[in-house]
Amino acid sequence: MPAQPRTNAFLVCLAALACLLSVLSTPVWAGASAQTWFGQFDNPFNASFLERSSTPAGEATVSLSQAATFGPDRVDWVSTARASTFTGAVGTSATVDRLNRSTLGGGFGNPAIWSTATAFDEITIVGGRPEWIEFVAYVNGSFESVLGSAFSSRTQLYVGSQRAELSFRWVNNPSSPLVNIHASPRTVIASSEHSNLQGSLSLLRYVSPGDQFIVQLEMELAVGPANIDHAVGNFGHTAQLGIILPEGMTFTSTSGTFLIDAPPAPVPEPGMWALFTAGLGLLAARNRRRQAFTVGSFARDDIRHSRSGPPAVAGTAVLADRLPA
């Protein structure tokens, strides 16, 4: 008879362990993360001074003020990254000063300060009927330096397995004053001046009530200071997504709080507002019925499809993750 209590206790322990393993193995389909680190301009994996923050739902913010020296070479910087599933916004920035007194070269080579910010959630379409919906992410930022510094900014919007990208790359050199731009189809560039970079991304997706997919926005910034230069990359104004939903359609999210604090309109800067308004006007022309506007964020891998309609119009290639381990 004494064995019975021990057996029951053993079964209770097994049940508790099973529940714990179930919780630990349950995938998380929502979250926000922010990272910043010191590395090489063309090799983000060579990271040091790494600071990171993440949360399964909510806001992640990281800030790093640091200095690194290698003999006569010195780099001082302040960098930030932030992301929020509540507001559906991400932003990055870095201010970097470099002084290399060496006449023999060497030092850090091509140092860079990197910052990344990501926000994502899984959404479920509710109400309405099978229809196309539109996701529009827009970006606003700037690059500034005295001479010679290199800059790179990449914003990627994922809606399920679809991806849209807008990248700005600039080296402050009199022989090549223009900003190089890489953009997906349907991207609109409102301004390509290094001091005022603005653009919007767009993805279409055919959805039915009950469809589930991940929505994610991520921003990556690299500032590579030239010798004896002051370089500033500022994309801290946030990148954000507008979701054009047909009348009668809405969505829920895995976190239950996705976009709960999203502003009713973009950040009220004149240039961004004009860009966003123009984009919505073009979208409205394609939709004959009045549509509701929700501001939010972002997508990565298509985890689950419940019902498929016509193929969505957008690129499907996914770039390799460039974040350090």
Side-chain angles (χ1 to χ4, degrees):
M1 296 302 295
Q4 186 65 30
R6 288 197 295 270
T7 301
N8 291 339
F10 178 72
L11 293 176
V12 169
C13 289
L14 283 181
L17 179 61
C19 290
L20 178 60
L21 291 176
S22 175
V23 170
L24 293 176
S25 63
T26 300
V28 178
W29 304 132
S33 65
Q35 299 185 96
T36 185
W37 69 95
F38 178 90
Q40 299 296 311
F41 191 78
D42 294 316
N43 181 17
F45 297 103
N46 185 18
S48 57
F49 299 100
L50 175 65
E51 293 286 337
R52 63 175 62 184
S53 174
S54 62
T55 177
E59 298 180 349
T61 302
V62 65
S63 178
L64 180 62
S65 177
Q66 190 60 264
T69 59
F70 186 93
D73 201 350
R74 178 183 174 93
V75 176
D76 297 81
W77 73 91
V78 176
S79 54
T80 63
R82 61 191 182 90
S84 172
T85 59
F86 293 159
T87 62
V90 298
T92 57
S93 66
T95 299
V96 192
D97 292 280
R98 183 182 184 189
L99 178 61
N100 185 355
R101 297 186 178 89
S102 173
T103 59
L104 302 177
F108 292 114
N110 298 308
I113 306 304
W114 288 82
S115 296
T116 64
T118 304
F120 68 97
D121 207 331
E122 183 182 53
I123 68 172
T124 301
I125 300 299
V126 178
R129 61 182 183 179
E131 185 126 23
W132 292 95
I133 63 176
E134 187 110 15
F135 298 80
V136 183
Y138 65 99
V139 183
N140 180 44
S142 63
F143 299 142
E144 298 285 356
S145 85
V146 179
L147 181 65
S149 291
F151 303 85
S152 176
S153 170
R154 181 175 67 165
T155 303
Q156 296 183 94
L157 166 66
Y158 295 88
V159 177
S161 59
Q162 301 168 248
R163 182 184 67 88
E165 176 186 346
L166 173 58
S167 297
F168 298 106
R169 193 177 179 95
W170 182 59
V171 177
N172 186 5
N173 189 324
S175 64
S176 57
L178 300 180
V179 176
N180 292 320
I181 300 174
H182 175 75
S184 301
R186 301 174 58 83
T187 300
V188 176
I189 306 299
S191 174
S192 60
E193 293 292 329
H194 69 85
S195 60
N196 182 29
L197 297 168
Q198 296 186 40
S200 64
L201 301 166
S202 176
L203 287 174
L204 283 173
R205 186 181 180 92
Y206 189 83
V207 301
S208 299
D211 282 358
Q212 294 178 304
F213 48 89
I214 299 284
V215 183
Q216 176 173 304
L217 185 67
E218 61 182 56
M219 176 179 285
E220 173 187 275
L221 173 68
V223 177
N227 185 28
I228 313 179
D229 199 7
H230 174 76
V232 180
N234 185 6
F235 281 77
H237 296 294
T238 75
Q240 194 143 10
L241 171 73
I243 305 177
I244 307 298
L245 295 170
E247 186 175 341
M249 180 178 288
T250 184
F251 65 85
T252 60
S253 65
T254 296
S255 68
T257 58
F258 189 48
L259 311 184
I260 191 172
D261 293 328
V267 177
E269 295 187 12
M272 295 178 69
W273 176 254
L275 170 65
F276 200 80
T277 302
L280 289 182
L282 292 175
L283 296 178
R286 291 198 302 271
N287 296 277
R288 297 186 178 181
R289 296 184 302 165
R290 180 174 296 275
Q291 298 177 324
F293 171 65
T294 303
V295 173
S297 251
F298 337 97
R300 193 173 177 111
D301 299 319
D302 198 8
I303 306 301
R304 286 180 284 179
H305 297 277
S306 57
R307 285 185 287 275
S308 60
V313 181
T316 57
V318 178
L319 297 183
D321 190 3
R322 302 180 65 190
L323 305 184

